[in-house]
Amino acid sequence: MIPIEEARTYVMDRCRPQPAVGTDVADALGLVTSADVIANESLPPFANTAMDGFAVRSADLDTVPVRLEVIETIAAGHNPTREVGLGQASRIMTGAPIPDGADAIVMVEKTSVDGDVVTIEAQVEPGNHIRPAGDDVKEGDLVFPAGTRLSAGHLGVLCSLGFQKIDTFPRLRVGVISTGDELVDDGGVLEPGQIRDSNRRTLLSLLSEDAFLPVDLGLVADNELAIEEALSQGAQDCDAVITSGGVSMGDFDYVKAVLDRIGDMRWMQIAIKPAKPLAFGTIGGTPIFGLPGNPVSSMVSYELFARAGLRSMMGFREPIRPIIKGVAAKSMRRRADGKIHYVRVIAEQENGTTVVYPVSGQGSHMLASMARSNSLAVLPDGEGCEAGEQVDVLLLD
Ligand code: AMP
Ligand code: MG
């Protein structure tokens, strides 16, 4: 068995960032910028009002109440046509440009209108409720540095600044293959010995959650030729391929054999539980992750190795999820076996502390308990921990 760090280093060394591309902002959610983003425009682009009200000369309000002549109404999206002179005001709507002459806005709530005359009840400082041009971002500003992961808010800023395209690392196309003679996916009645394929849906969904582009490459039987064809085709069509099953010690575990023959593969026995076996290799430079078949093992192996490697390929500066400190709500006993154990837990925030509750059903085939949990407690080799002790936690969502 090798330590997890050695396995991960081996994987990460072969998962290099892809060359950057220009990406439509509309398609950039979850991607990582490959260059600094510099503003070509200011935001807001012009001084405008933060309130519905009246644009005034603040000096006119030295004594209040005061009556001012209303000279026009300025709606958002329309330019003022008149300068506000002494004793005058323009009615103005939120977002509309500030007219010449005016230096402050009085909110509508502090006014009353009678025909063409507005009575202002309150004094205001110059600049009151005015949002100056460039208040948020100034032309020439560094908006986001290279290496920024683009969230909904980032995309909104890019749109505000008029960007249509942005330099990013490309979204990775990741193929997913399930292997196993026992697997079916047609929703029909199970024949003896059959089970339903769950790994493919789980892995495709994890890929979506992590902003990769999942590609369903289907189910493949335990047949060396079929696996070879599926892997070579997948390596050609995708930036990376994930398989599940066929990497253990069984007689029909062909993924490992095929990868060894047609790829540059390392089969690893990693000192972790679950997810001990991993076949990782490249075919023509395309990384192939041969994850174990047990449903929880494949998810944990995805989290620890595939996700980290794929995020690294997609330009993430911190591809590995951080481990945080929590407190065990109950004891989590284990035996020393040379492995790190990843225990399914529900992590909750209680008075600023992350408290973890182990869930029942920790077998690597027990996917329901994985679905019910939101985190993995990381137990180093040894006897486990008692209730109230500190424990390392990997928050999965
Ligand atoms: P393997 O790694 O191929 O030896 O499979 C280990 C266990 O995981 C076996 O019980 C398989 O039936 C099960 N398994 C493999 N692939 C899948 C899958 N795609 N969905 C659900 N169970 C699977
Ligand atoms: Mg199998």
Side-chain angles (χ1 to χ4, degrees):
M1 289 193 300
I2 61 170
I4 176 173
E5 292 76 20
E6 183 182 334
R8 194 141 59 187
T9 302
Y10 183 86
V11 168
M12 304 291 274
D13 281 350
R14 286 155 186 80
C15 291
R16 295 292 176 195
Q18 304 278 94
V21 291
T23 301
D24 286 343
V25 168
D27 299 328
L29 184 63
L31 298 182
V32 176
T33 56
S34 58
D36 289 349
V37 178
I38 309 290
N40 299 322
E41 297 177 3
S42 289
L43 185 63
F46 52 86
N48 67 94
T49 171
M51 290 283 170
D52 297 320
F54 289 85
V56 299
R57 293 168 171 264
S58 54
D60 275 352
L61 314 186
D62 276 350
T63 51
V64 286
V66 63
R67 289 158 58 84
L68 303 174
E69 178 200 358
V70 179
I71 55 171
E72 72 170 329
T73 297
I74 311 162
H78 297 267
N79 221 23
T81 61
R82 306 220 10 219
E83 178 172 345
V84 176
L86 281 176
Q88 295 181 325
S90 286
R91 185 195 291 268
I92 191 165
M93 308 303 151
T94 303
I98 307 298
D100 288 343
D103 68 353
I105 304 295
V106 181
M107 63 200 286
V108 71
E109 290 84 342
K110 301 211 164 132
T111 67
S112 54
V113 179
D114 183 11
D116 284 348
V117 173
V118 58
T119 302
I120 311 274
E121 319 282 354
Q123 290 181 328
V124 293
E125 295 293 315
N128 191 54
H129 295 320
I130 291 179
R131 306 188 282 209
D135 202 17
D136 191 0
V137 179
K138 289 188 181 50
E139 187 180 339
D141 276 358
L142 170 63
V143 193
F144 308 127
T148 300
R149 178 187 185 272
L150 295 169
S151 68
H154 293 101
L155 298 189
V157 171
L158 293 174
C159 287
S160 308
L161 291 169
F163 287 95
Q164 303 273 338
K165 283 206 164 227
I166 186 88
D167 291 332
T168 69
F169 295 98
R171 198 179 298 281
L172 278 197
R173 286 171 58 83
V174 186
V176 179
I177 300 171
S178 284
T179 70
D181 279 352
E182 71 278 34
L183 302 175
V184 291
D185 66 352
D186 59 4
V189 177
L190 292 175
E191 300 289 335
Q194 289 185 332
I195 61 165
R196 304 187 197 280
D197 175 14
S198 64
N199 290 351
R200 200 153 37 105
R201 181 55 46 213
T202 308
L203 291 167
L204 290 165
S205 306
L206 287 169
L207 289 167
S208 295
E209 284 181 3
D210 286 329
F212 305 113
L213 183 72
V215 181
D216 187 351
L217 300 179
L219 259 180
V220 181
D222 288 319
N223 169 305
E224 203 162 337
L225 192 63
I227 290 175
E228 176 171 343
E229 269 175 26
L231 282 181
S232 345
Q233 194 62 45
Q236 257 178 49
D237 297 346
C238 299
D239 302 311
V241 176
I242 298 178
T243 67
S244 68
V247 297
S248 298
M249 307 282 273
D251 288 350
F252 309 103
D253 286 339
Y254 292 126
V255 170
K256 185 173 87 180
V258 169
L259 255 184
D260 203 21
R261 193 157 45 70
I262 67 168
D264 170 14
M265 196 268 305
R266 180 165 169 198
W267 185 63
M268 295 177 255
Q269 295 275 82
I270 305 159
I272 58 175
K273 183 183 174 184
K276 183 168 75 158
L278 172 70
F280 175 79
T282 53
I283 299 178
T286 305
I288 315 285
F289 296 85
L291 310 187
N294 271 310
V296 176
S297 305
S298 74
M299 281 186 84
V300 170
S301 191
Y302 172 87
E303 166 64 30
L304 298 179
F305 306 106
R307 180 177 187 272
L310 297 173
R311 276 167 62 92
S312 168
M313 291 175 77
M314 216 159 78
F316 281 84
R317 300 269 167 102
E318 285 167 7
I320 299 171
R321 221 190 288 267
I323 285 182
I324 64 159
K325 296 287 177 199
V327 172
K330 289 185 181 168
S331 74
M332 287 182 268
R333 309 301 305 166
R334 52 159 291 179
R335 290 212 190 92
D337 57 4
K339 298 178 197 167
I340 296 172
H341 288 197
Y342 291 86
V343 176
R344 278 150 265 173
V345 295
I346 295 171
E348 284 179 3
Q349 288 302 315
E350 293 175 11
N351 305 319
T353 303
T354 303
V355 181
V356 301
Y357 296 83
V359 302
S360 64
Q362 293 285 337
S364 61
H365 59 297
M366 298 167 121
L367 191 55
S369 63
M370 184 73 180
R372 280 200 306 274
S373 61
N374 62 6
S375 304
L376 297 169
V378 186
L379 302 184
D381 193 22
E383 303 298 318
C385 71
E386 295 300 334
E389 278 181 18
Q390 200 178 63
V391 64
D392 283 345
V393 187
L394 197 51
L395 298 176
L396 296 176
D397 61 6

